[in-house]
């Protein structure tokens, strides 16, 4: 009997191809948009998570000059600097008990790297201290990171990211082959002592397009020694101490620079910023899902509309069926199965379209197929058919046979 | 067979509408129909014969009066029981055939068995033999719009008898047919009568009514004539009536 209901319902669907296709389309769009939009939400959340992992743990980033957030939009005014004396003051446990490690960095801008005749300009060429690798979470895959001895000796050594090697030697380059080779950066010759493990993109930039050397070396060769640094990465003593460390950094810097105001130094607690962003992403995902869910609901109302039309149009048929012995339940099931089938077919097409849609980058985010979104959207589509099918089906089933038969 | 009439109508009235606009379709109709009778109900349009047929077929309820089907008062049956009665006890043949559109002859005939909960293999067998009995064994997969009027009406007859009902109710069954198809369909009704079924035909055509052993005439919702036609279809049971 169940099989027969499906056959009868399928016949009803096929009989009105255009109408069924349009109704199905409504559900299909709803399901596909749920899958794609939830995918976009979780795709951007995954990107932030990756960024967070790339940062290293419990770290703060200090940038001199600050950014003109809001008004003016992102221009950097360099009226203040971070000096070597500031770094010393921050290293003082008396001033800043919650700071465990300080990694100062000095940038060399637009330094071209040349190896075996090939050249590239790494996004970042930085001088720093030996603790960079561990604090910034940049492990070395081949060779080694520079040591305190290299630092003290102002050795011309450099550790490069995998993208730099690939830009120089091609995509298929053997990363380990460059270790020990000489490389010219900004016209000076350095020896490559290591290659960083590939980190990939953090969602904003390629984290492997960099060259790192001792701070002492870069001051001798590329940046000159002005007694200042461009940025600090500060590791707090533990995860709970980042906020305390943040305020210690601010107060130490303000004590050091009497004429500076709080806004001249940007102390970013990026871990917490990113976790806030992750929170926002979740909200974003829920919001997108809800919008898509509304379109699914609208699709469901479309199913109800079509089912009501179908019931009205087939009133006489319902009368005939009742005359030859169809019970209330037979008619109810017939139209309910038809509604659920319409919604189910729409749901399946929607899943196919949605999964296909997640293969495209949308607003620079690679959407992720979330299994829960697929099952939820499909299940909701079928439920929609059931829910919005009940009213029309019940209306059909409760028709009096004589009224249905007389209907023209 | 018991002496209980298969159909017993007592003072059946049917009115439509309220107060001033009330239409009296039936004004106290009492008829007994015995098992195996071949009955024609005649009357002009508006005489209430279709209303009577709907009441006999349990498609409609009378406003007043009592209807006993096989001795059971129909008023006491709920909608499920009425569905079962229409499915097992009564076979309908309509003037406009009333086949399910876009559905094959076979599926149309099979449908009452689906509603009766008959198993698939048996359904196929019975639907096939019902169609063969009306001479359409080679038209199983034709949809109604691929069949002539006479063929459609024969499919409808096959559908009416597939559950093996004891009563066949026909409402102007030849009204939409040419004379050749009319003869075929009426021959089938004669056959159903010979098989021992109670056949009730509603018609306004005299040649259709002539085939029946008993003719009831209605006018303005009341029985004005109830005659047994002699020299007709010597069925063993006809003589046993009242």
């Amino acid at each position: 009997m169940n099989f027969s209901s499906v056959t009868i319902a399928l016949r009803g669907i096929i009989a009105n191809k255009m109408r069924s296709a349009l109704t199905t389309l409504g559900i299909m769009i709803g399901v596909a948009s749920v899958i794609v939009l939830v995918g976009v939400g979780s795709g951007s959340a995954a990107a932030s998570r990756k960024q967070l992992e790339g940062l290293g743990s419990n770290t703060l980033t200090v940038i001199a000059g600050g950014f003109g957030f809001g008004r003016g939009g992102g221009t950097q005014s360099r009226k203040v600097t971070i000096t070597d004396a500031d770094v010393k003051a921050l290293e003082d446990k008396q001033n800043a008990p919650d700071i465990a490690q300080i990694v100062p960095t000095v940038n060399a801008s637009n330094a071209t790297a040349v190896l075996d005749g090939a050249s590239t300009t790494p996004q970042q060429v930085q001088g720093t201290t030996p603790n960079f690798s561990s604090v910034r979470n940049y492990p070395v895959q081949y060779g080694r990171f520079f040591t305190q001895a290299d630092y003290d000796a102002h050795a011309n050594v450099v550790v490069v990211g995998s993208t730099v090697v690939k830009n120089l030697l091609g995509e298929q380059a053997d990363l380990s082959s460059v270790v020990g080779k000489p490389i010219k950066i900004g016209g000076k010759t350095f020896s490559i002592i290591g290659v960083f493990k590939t980190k990939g993109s953090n969602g904003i930039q390629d984290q492997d397009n960099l060259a790192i050397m001792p701070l002492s070396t870069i001051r001798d060769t590329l940046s000159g020694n002005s007694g200042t640094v461009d940025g600090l990465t500060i590791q707090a003593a533990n995860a709970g101490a980042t906020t305390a460390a943040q305020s210690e950094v601010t107060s130490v810097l303000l004590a050091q620079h009497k004429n500076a105001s709080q806004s001249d130094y940007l102390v970013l607690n990026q871990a917490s910023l990113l976790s806030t962003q992750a929170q926002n992403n979740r909200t974003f995902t829920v919001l997108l899902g809800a919008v898509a869910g509304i379109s699914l609901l609208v699709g469901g109302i479309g199913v109800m509309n079509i089912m009501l039309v179908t019931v009205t149009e087939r009133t006489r048929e319902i009368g005939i069926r009742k005359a030859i012995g169809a019970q209330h339940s037979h008619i109810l099931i017939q139209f309910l199965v038809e509604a659920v089938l319409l919604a189910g077919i729409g749901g399946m097409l929607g899943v196919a379209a949605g999964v296909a849609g997640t293969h495209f980058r949308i607003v620079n985010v690679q959407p992720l197929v979330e299994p829960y979104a697929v099952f939820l959207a499909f299940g909701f589509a079928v439920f929609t058919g059931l829910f919005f099918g009940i009213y029309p089906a019940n209306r059909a089933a409760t028709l009096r046979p004589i009224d249905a038969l007389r209907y023209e | 067979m018991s002496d209980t009439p298969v159909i017993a109508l007592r003072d059946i009235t049917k009115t439509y509408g309220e107060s001033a606009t009330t239409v009296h379709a039936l004004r106290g109709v009492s008829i007994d129909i015995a098992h195996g009778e071949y009955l024609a109900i005649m009357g002009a349009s508006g005489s209430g014969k279709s209303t009577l047929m709907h009441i006999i077929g349990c498609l409609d309820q009378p406003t007043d009066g009592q209807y006993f089907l096989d001795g059971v008062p129909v008023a006491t049956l709920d909608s499920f029981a009425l569905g079962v009665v229409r499915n097992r006890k009564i076979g309908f043949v309509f003037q406009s055939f009333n086949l399910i559109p876009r559905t094959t002859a076979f599926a149309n005939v099979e449908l009452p068995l689906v509603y009766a909960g008959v198993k698939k293999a048996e359904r196929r067998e019975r639907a096939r033999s019902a169609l063969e009995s009306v001479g359409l064994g080679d038209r199983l997969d034709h949809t109604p719009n691929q069949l002539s009027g006479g063929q459609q009406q024969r499919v409808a007859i096959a559908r009416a008898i597939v559950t093996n009902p004891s009563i066949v109710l026909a409402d102007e069954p030849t009204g939409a047919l040419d004379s050749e198809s009319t003869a075929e369909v009426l021959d089938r009704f004669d056959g159903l009568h010979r098989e021992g079924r109670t056949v009730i035909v509603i018609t306004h055509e005299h040649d259709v009514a002539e085939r029946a052993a008993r003719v009831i005439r209605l006018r303005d919702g009341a029985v004005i004539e109830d005659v047994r036609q002699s020299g007709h279809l010597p069925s063993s049971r006809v003589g046993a009536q009242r």
Side-chain angles (χ1 to χ4, degrees):
Chain A
M1 203 221 71
N2 285 329
F3 174 74
S4 301
S5 317
V6 174
T7 329
I8 290 169
L10 266 178
R11 212 176 274 138
I13 289 171
I14 293 165
N16 292 293
K17 288 188 189 69
M18 187 64 175
R19 184 195 291 173
S20 305
L22 287 174
T23 312
T24 304
L25 189 69
I27 294 286
M28 177 181 148
I29 290 171
V31 169
S33 52
V34 166
I35 293 172
V36 171
L37 292 184
V38 169
V40 168
S42 44
S44 73
S48 324
R49 214 161 34 239
K50 221 169 159 190
Q51 224 173 326
L52 189 66
E53 283 160 6
L55 266 181
S57 50
N58 319 333
T59 58
L60 304 171
T61 306
V62 184
I63 299 163
F67 290 98
F69 279 127
R71 289 169 297 127
T75 49
Q76 204 169 0
S77 64
R78 270 285 174 127
K79 66 177 183 190
V80 292
T81 54
I82 303 169
T83 63
D84 291 352
D86 297 341
V87 175
K88 272 227 149 41
L90 288 168
E91 277 170 347
D92 186 344
K93 289 282 173 212
Q94 215 96 67
N95 293 335
D98 292 304
I99 293 175
Q101 304 231 48
I102 301 175
V103 183
T105 50
V106 170
N107 300 334
S109 50
N110 292 322
T112 306
V114 182
L115 177 76
D116 294 341
S119 74
T120 180
T121 305
Q123 236 162 42
Q124 289 178 302
V125 177
Q126 290 187 327
T128 185
T129 49
N131 55 3
F132 172 93
S133 177
S134 63
V135 174
R136 290 284 297 273
N137 192 21
Y138 267 94
V140 171
Q141 188 166 25
Y142 303 106
R144 62 179 180 86
F145 200 68
F146 59 80
T147 60
Q148 192 62 40
D150 294 320
Y151 187 91
D152 294 339
H154 298 224
N156 279 9
V157 292
V158 68
V159 181
V160 295
S162 56
T163 301
V164 175
V165 180
K166 285 175 184 165
N167 286 348
L168 289 166
L169 303 179
E171 272 309 303
Q172 311 301 323
D174 175 10
L175 296 177
S176 63
S177 70
V178 298
V179 176
K181 285 198 172 175
I183 184 170
K184 275 195 172 209
I185 300 175
K188 304 285 195 300
T189 306
F190 299 86
S191 171
I192 299 173
I193 57 167
V195 178
F196 290 118
K197 190 163 184 258
T198 302
K199 294 182 83 164
S201 167
N202 63 6
I204 295 168
Q205 62 181 34
D206 182 358
Q207 300 179 98
D208 302 309
N209 195 359
L210 80 176
I212 300 296
M213 60 184 70
L215 196 142
S216 55
T217 309
I218 203 167
R219 281 180 168 167
D220 287 353
T221 54
L222 300 174
S223 66
N225 191 350
S226 58
T228 63
V229 297
D230 295 305
L232 295 174
T233 302
I234 288 168
Q235 187 170 48
N238 56 63
T242 46
T243 313
Q246 192 173 3
S247 61
E248 286 163 18
V249 170
T250 311
S251 63
V252 167
L253 287 175
L254 288 177
Q256 288 284 114
H257 303 265
K258 299 291 183 214
N259 62 342
S261 70
Q262 193 150 2
S263 61
D264 290 329
Y265 293 97
L266 188 63
V267 184
L268 294 175
N269 187 345
Q270 289 203 25
S272 76
L273 274 182
L274 283 173
S275 72
T276 310
Q277 198 184 334
Q279 197 86 45
N280 291 344
N281 272 323
R282 260 194 296 283
T283 316
F284 182 58
T285 306
V286 169
L287 209 65
L288 285 177
V291 168
I294 287 169
S295 78
L296 197 50
L297 198 71
V298 172
I301 293 169
V303 170
M304 172 140 105
N305 191 16
I306 285 307
M307 289 312 297
L308 283 174
V309 170
T310 302
V311 167
T312 307
E313 193 186 70
R314 283 157 67 183
T315 300
R316 200 178 165 80
E317 179 192 320
I318 294 162
I320 300 168
R321 287 177 186 275
K322 288 208 158 181
I324 61 173
Q327 294 291 355
H328 183 276
S329 61
H330 291 126
I331 304 291
L332 188 77
I333 289 169
Q334 176 190 338
F335 285 96
L336 215 49
V337 167
E338 190 168 325
V340 169
L341 223 55
L342 268 180
I345 292 169
M348 277 193 279
L349 292 174
V351 166
V355 169
T358 53
H359 285 88
F360 300 100
R361 284 183 78 86
I362 296 162
V363 289
N364 218 18
V365 173
Q366 182 64 54
L368 289 177
V369 180
E370 289 286 357
Y372 84 85
V374 172
F375 286 113
L376 207 69
F378 181 73
F380 189 59
V382 173
F383 173 77
T384 299
L386 196 65
F387 182 78
F388 287 108
I390 282 175
Y391 175 68
N394 195 51
R395 199 155 116 168
T398 49
L399 279 172
R400 289 176 61 222
I402 187 67
D403 295 338
L405 265 180
R406 282 218 195 97
Y407 187 86
E408 291 298 337
Chain B
M1 281 301 140
S2 72
D3 289 341
T4 322
V6 64
I7 291 166
L9 300 170
R10 295 282 176 276
D11 277 328
I12 296 288
T13 62
K14 180 73 184 176
T15 55
Y16 296 103
E18 300 283 304
S19 59
T21 57
T22 304
V23 175
H24 296 273
L26 293 175
R27 309 162 184 263
V29 172
S30 298
I31 306 172
D32 278 3
I33 301 168
H35 190 91
E37 263 196 289
Y38 191 168
L39 177 75
I41 298 176
M42 292 194 72
S45 122
S47 59
K49 59 188 193 302
S50 282
T51 304
L52 185 60
M53 143 118 183
H54 290 144
I55 289 172
I56 294 173
C58 299
L59 293 170
D60 204 356
Q61 282 86 44
T63 309
D64 208 354
Q66 282 179 301
Y67 170 23
F68 299 92
L69 183 62
D70 273 342
V72 178
V74 171
T76 63
L77 301 178
D78 61 11
S79 72
F80 182 86
L82 290 174
V84 173
V85 164
R86 290 194 293 266
N87 187 238
R88 316 272 167 90
K89 237 173 212 168
I90 302 169
F92 289 93
V93 179
F94 300 93
Q95 177 175 6
S96 51
F97 322 136
N98 277 351
L99 298 178
I100 310 273
R102 297 177 296 266
T103 304
T104 63
F106 182 78
N108 261 293
V109 174
E110 191 189 20
L111 201 53
L113 297 173
V114 172
Y115 292 142
V118 175
K119 288 207 175 56
K120 185 160 185 146
E122 191 188 341
R123 244 164 40 206
R124 286 174 172 278
E125 185 49 42
R126 283 170 67 176
R128 189 184 305 274
S129 70
L131 275 165
E132 277 163 0
S133 76
V134 295
L136 290 173
D138 56 342
R139 296 279 195 278
L140 300 182
D141 296 326
H142 288 57
T143 54
N145 57 6
Q146 295 169 326
L147 296 169
S148 73
Q151 287 170 331
Q152 287 188 56
Q153 195 60 299
R154 274 145 67 199
V155 173
I157 292 170
R159 185 179 66 182
I161 60 170
V162 73
T163 54
N164 200 22
S166 56
I167 303 165
V168 174
L169 277 181
D171 186 5
E172 302 271 10
T174 59
L177 300 180
D178 59 32
S179 56
E180 196 181 330
S181 302
T182 296
E184 280 173 7
V185 166
L186 291 178
D187 287 348
R188 267 314 300 158
F189 283 133
D190 292 348
L192 296 179
H193 171 59
R194 275 195 300 276
E195 287 163 15
R197 292 179 218 276
T198 309
V199 178
I200 303 170
V201 180
I202 289 178
T203 186
H204 63 270
E205 292 170 69
H206 286 281
D207 53 339
V208 174
E210 265 171 21
R211 301 236 184 177
R214 181 180 170 195
V215 177
I216 290 176
R217 279 175 207 281
L218 290 181
R219 185 185 288 162
D220 297 331
V223 177
I224 55 162
E225 196 180 51
D226 185 349
V227 290
R228 271 159 223 288
Q229 307 190 105
S230 55
H232 231 282
L233 291 165
S235 169
S236 58
R237 295 192 187 90
V238 174
Q241 303 309 314
R242 290 202 264 204

